[in-house]
Amino acid sequence: MALAPASPHPPDTATATATRPGKVARRPKPSSEPPEGNRERAKGRDRLWVAAFLVPFLVLYMGFTLWPLIATVYYSFFDWSGSGPLDNFVGGDNYSRILGDPLFWQAVVNTLLFAVGTTLIKLPLSLLAALVMTRKWLRAKRALRTVFFAPLIIPVAMAGLVFTYLLNPSNGALNSALHGLGLTDGTTDVFANRWTALLALVLISVWQVFGQYMIYWMAALQNVPDELYEAAELDGASEWQKLTRITLPLIRPVAVVIVMLALVNAMHVFGLVVTLTGGGPGTSTYVVSYFIYKQAFGSMPFAYGYASAAALLFSVMAFLLVTSQGLFVRRAQKMRKEYGV
Amino acid sequence: MSRPELRTPRAPRLSRLSRPARANLIALPLLIVVGLVWVYPFLWIVAGAFKTQTGLFTGGASLMPDQWNFDNFRRAWVDAGFSRYFFNTILYAVVSTVIELFKSALCGYILARYEFPGRKLLHRMIIATLFVPVASIIIPQFVLVERLGLLNTQAGVILAMSGAAGALYVLLFIGFFSGIPSDLFDAAKLDGAGFLRTFRLVLPLAKPVIAVVVIFQFITNWNEFNIPLVFTLGQPDLQNLAVGMLSFKGEHSVDWTGFAAGMTLSVIPMLIVFVFFQSYFVRGLAGATKE
């Protein structure tokens, strides 16, 4: 289970495992561990190879993930426009300004609404789709899978532009469809109102990433052993019972990870906002990444320090949102132990 | 298969015989309707690629082109710069996918197979950064690329794209390589295989994981918006499709049909990649997530 361990550990492994070299840190089940020999101690010339194999990842990881994380913290204490030396230390000034910036809070609220909204819609629907798509009896699976996966391959700006046209108030497809059905004869401009604009963002995002989550679920479903279903069948279990007693409990550990990926990916939302609403109407669909972009690169003078403070606050919030699931993860892992999957 | 006279709820055994057929009868039409809604924007784009501006403007939701010519394609490809965006996108996606694959396979292999000081710390740090939002670290990335003198170059975009991700892929590789029975490695050792030979021996086994990384990363890079936008602010020639499209919106009169034609052209390669790899895809993910 490579996806699941991502979640649980930051808080609790830090203390525990450093002294047990043969044990894989991520796995709570000693019984199913491969024998010790699976992990060799590097010696002699192998050491050079080990180092050489690690270098490409380490260099990029340090340069583009670790250092930026540290630098974001550092910049956030300065009033810095990106050019010139970093010498205008302002302490917590950026933070107190951010905390009093209504636009930032609006962006936070929008980001959370968007993240929770898309997750609540796309996960159950894609699970349902995956359940149907993994039925043995279903015909044309490949074609259907491709259909649902297809929106993912449209660059996000294209999706944005297509939908601005389809939804445009004068002659877009939505309006002509509404007229055709006789539902309205006026013009419906979904991007004129904060709530409809947010809803449009959510739905279009669901449309776009649906296939990805469907495939996550399909992968999760593949890991449920067939024997369990066969046994249940012998006991006369109904489809519904099989779903609620076998499938759902067994995919729960993976489900937790999928939920987290979904939330975090949704919190990244940027391209759709830029292309569909540009944060509008007014500033009412600002999301945090757009706020950061606008502060840092949007208009002179650039406010890197201020944007960094916003970025850091955002990271902390994302982290809290994600790790608040740690509890569920631990429970799910306990379940996994019980079921032996 | 169909035995209508027996298909009553009172005859469970016989109705089970026809159940697959019946289930298909219910599910397929439903899925097809939903699927049509799903691909409607695609169909609209393809239809728009053949329409005239006025045809598009008055057509509303219609998918029927009012003409069949290829001038839209020429305009999009040549005049609007789709060819440039297209080749940039391919370059960025291919190169950063290769880098991503290379670095995460090597690192995952080591973390799964070898013990070295700091291994656990590294593993934990990779996990900890899995969920860092890109937006929150893009400023220092920008500063780094600028200091390297690579701002507004293709190398800068590629570097940022392939540097920013990767944690998930390393974890997938670790999961895969630590699942390989150690007998295999022992046997390789007995046969006198050194470090590299052993690696070359087991790497092909990781094909499903490789397929997942390639598809994920290729799609992510293909659609990447934030990094190319920020790193090519001063050099529109280097934009990829995702960012290049944005300029369509800013102009006063938009060549919508040319735009539709350009999109049609640029979506095709990705569709091929997916159709080609899709069986690997699900299998690979399932394999990689298996304990």
Side-chain angles (χ1 to χ4, degrees), chain A residues 38 40 64 137 152 157 171 275, chain B residues 24 57 113 115 223 242 249:
Chain A
N38 195 25
E40 299 177 14
F64 286 92
W137 46 261
L152 204 62
N171 60 339
T275 53
Chain B
N24 265 315
F57 196 71
R113 291 289 314 160
E115 188 60 52
N223 289 332
K249 211 185 174 184

Side-chain angles (χ1 to χ4, degrees), chain A residues 158-181:
Chain A
M158 284 194 185
L161 283 165
V162 171
F163 277 98
T164 22
Y165 196 94
L166 290 177
L167 299 177
N168 90 57
S170 56
N171 60 339
L174 176 70
N175 269 289
S176 37
L178 287 177
H179 289 185
L181 293 170

Side-chain angles (χ1 to χ4, degrees), chain B:
Chain B
M1 265 281 165
S2 82
R3 291 173 200 174
E5 74 278 14
L6 290 174
R7 208 190 284 149
T8 62
R10 291 270 143 216
R13 201 177 273 168
L14 289 166
S15 78
R16 192 175 296 159
L17 274 180
S18 60
R19 214 162 76 183
R22 277 195 301 161
N24 265 315
L25 271 181
I26 301 169
L28 268 185
L30 207 71
L31 284 170
I32 288 170
V33 170
V34 177
L36 281 178
V37 174
W38 222 253
V39 292
Y40 173 77
F42 280 93
L43 301 178
W44 183 83
I45 293 169
V46 176
F50 293 100
K51 290 178 184 173
T52 57
Q53 291 283 0
T54 46
L56 187 81
F57 196 71
T58 55
S62 156
L63 290 178
M64 215 41 230
D66 58 333
Q67 57 152 23
W68 291 96
N69 69 34
F70 291 88
D71 187 56
N72 289 329
F73 289 97
R74 191 198 54 76
R75 277 204 325 282
W77 196 249
V78 181
D79 303 347
F82 262 90
S83 56
R84 207 171 52 228
Y85 299 144
F86 184 76
F87 287 118
N88 284 338
T89 310
I90 293 212
L91 179 77
Y92 298 155
V94 169
V95 178
S96 55
T97 302
V98 169
I99 295 178
E100 198 71 52
L101 187 64
F102 180 74
K103 70 170 199 192
S104 52
L106 296 189
C107 182
Y109 177 72
I110 296 298
L111 280 174
R113 291 289 314 160
Y114 288 89
E115 188 60 52
F116 59 91
R119 189 184 65 81
K120 283 206 156 63
L121 179 71
L122 178 61
H123 193 168
R124 248 175 252 141
M125 286 203 310
I126 292 172
I127 290 172
T129 51
L130 187 59
F131 293 114
V132 173
V134 188
S136 52
I137 53 173
I138 200 165
I139 296 168
Q141 290 175 346
F142 182 83
V143 172
L144 178 68
V145 169
E146 192 182 28
R147 297 249 162 96
L148 291 171
L150 294 174
L151 203 59
N152 294 318
T153 67
Q154 284 158 334
V157 177
I158 290 169
L159 209 54
M161 276 167 78
S162 40
L168 181 64
Y169 307 131
V170 174
L171 294 178
L172 287 177
F173 274 112
I174 294 175
F176 182 84
F177 282 127
S178 48
I180 295 180
S182 50
D183 305 359
L184 189 71
F185 291 93
D186 296 341
K189 199 177 257 173
L190 279 179
D191 288 347
F195 183 94
L196 261 192
R197 278 267 297 282
T198 313
F199 179 66
R200 274 206 302 242
L201 190 75
V202 294
L203 187 63
L205 299 177
K207 246 188 232 156
V209 184
I210 294 174
V212 171
V213 174
V214 166
I215 297 190
F216 264 36
Q217 198 50 28
F218 196 78
I219 290 174
T220 310
N221 288 335
W222 185 269
N223 289 332
E224 180 61 52
F225 185 78
N226 206 339
I227 288 174
L229 174 67
V230 168
F231 288 79
T232 62
L233 279 172
Q235 194 59 268
D237 271 2
L238 301 180
Q239 288 167 351
N240 64 353
L241 281 163
V243 179
M245 295 306 91
L246 191 61
S247 57
F248 271 90
K249 211 185 174 184
E251 292 156 16
H252 277 295
S253 68
V254 178
D255 178 5
W256 280 105
T257 55
F259 173 65
M263 284 205 284
T264 308
L265 288 176
S266 56
V267 158
I268 291 168
M270 280 304 299
L271 212 53
I272 294 171
V273 168
F274 177 70
V275 171
F276 187 71
F277 275 107
Q278 75 152 322
S279 58
Y280 267 122
F281 194 37
V282 177
R283 238 190 304 148
L285 252 182
T289 55
K290 205 167 236 165
E291 185 88 40

Side-chain angles (χ1 to χ4, degrees), chain A residues 217 247-258 328 331-332 335:
Chain A
W217 287 123
T247 313
L248 293 184
L250 283 186
I251 61 172
R252 217 160 99 173
V254 189
V256 175
V257 182
I258 296 178
F328 296 103
R331 271 176 55 196
M335 306 252 325

Side-chain angles (χ1 to χ4, degrees), chain A residues 151-319:
Chain A
L152 204 62
I153 64 178
I154 303 192
V156 62
M158 284 194 185
L161 283 165
V162 171
F163 277 98
T164 22
Y165 196 94
L166 290 177
L167 299 177
N168 90 57
S170 56
N171 60 339
L174 176 70
N175 269 289
S176 37
L178 287 177
H179 289 185
L181 293 170
L183 290 174
T184 166
D185 47 6
T187 54
T188 314
D189 186 359
V190 295
F191 297 118
N193 171 292
R194 178 186 176 195
W195 297 109
T196 53
L198 268 180
L199 184 66
L201 283 176
V202 166
L203 293 180
I204 292 166
S205 148
V206 169
W207 173 78
Q208 186 151 41
V209 299
F210 185 87
Q212 192 171 354
Y213 290 90
M214 187 180 77
I215 287 193
Y216 287 155
W217 287 123
M218 287 168 67
L221 293 174
Q222 268 197 1
N223 284 338
V224 181
D226 278 338
E227 301 87 63
L228 288 178
Y229 292 118
E230 285 156 18
E233 198 120 357
L234 286 178
D235 291 344
S238 68
E239 286 296 321
W240 177 252
Q241 282 172 322
K242 278 192 257 175
L243 176 70
T244 52
R245 304 275 170 80
I246 300 175
T247 313
L248 293 184
L250 283 186
I251 61 172
R252 217 160 99 173
V254 189
V256 175
V257 182
I258 296 178
V259 172
M260 289 196 301
L261 282 174
L263 279 175
V264 174
N265 286 340
M267 288 178 85
H268 290 178
V269 62
F270 179 68
L272 261 193
V273 174
V274 176
T275 53
L276 267 175
T277 66
T283 56
S284 63
T285 58
Y286 261 60
V287 289
V288 177
S289 51
Y290 191 64
F291 177 86
I292 294 168
Y293 169 77
K294 277 286 180 191
Q295 297 294 333
F297 309 102
S299 61
M300 294 279 216
F302 302 139
Y304 283 19
Y306 190 64
S308 295
L312 195 66
L313 280 178
F314 178 43
S315 289
V316 170
M317 279 186 267
F319 182 75

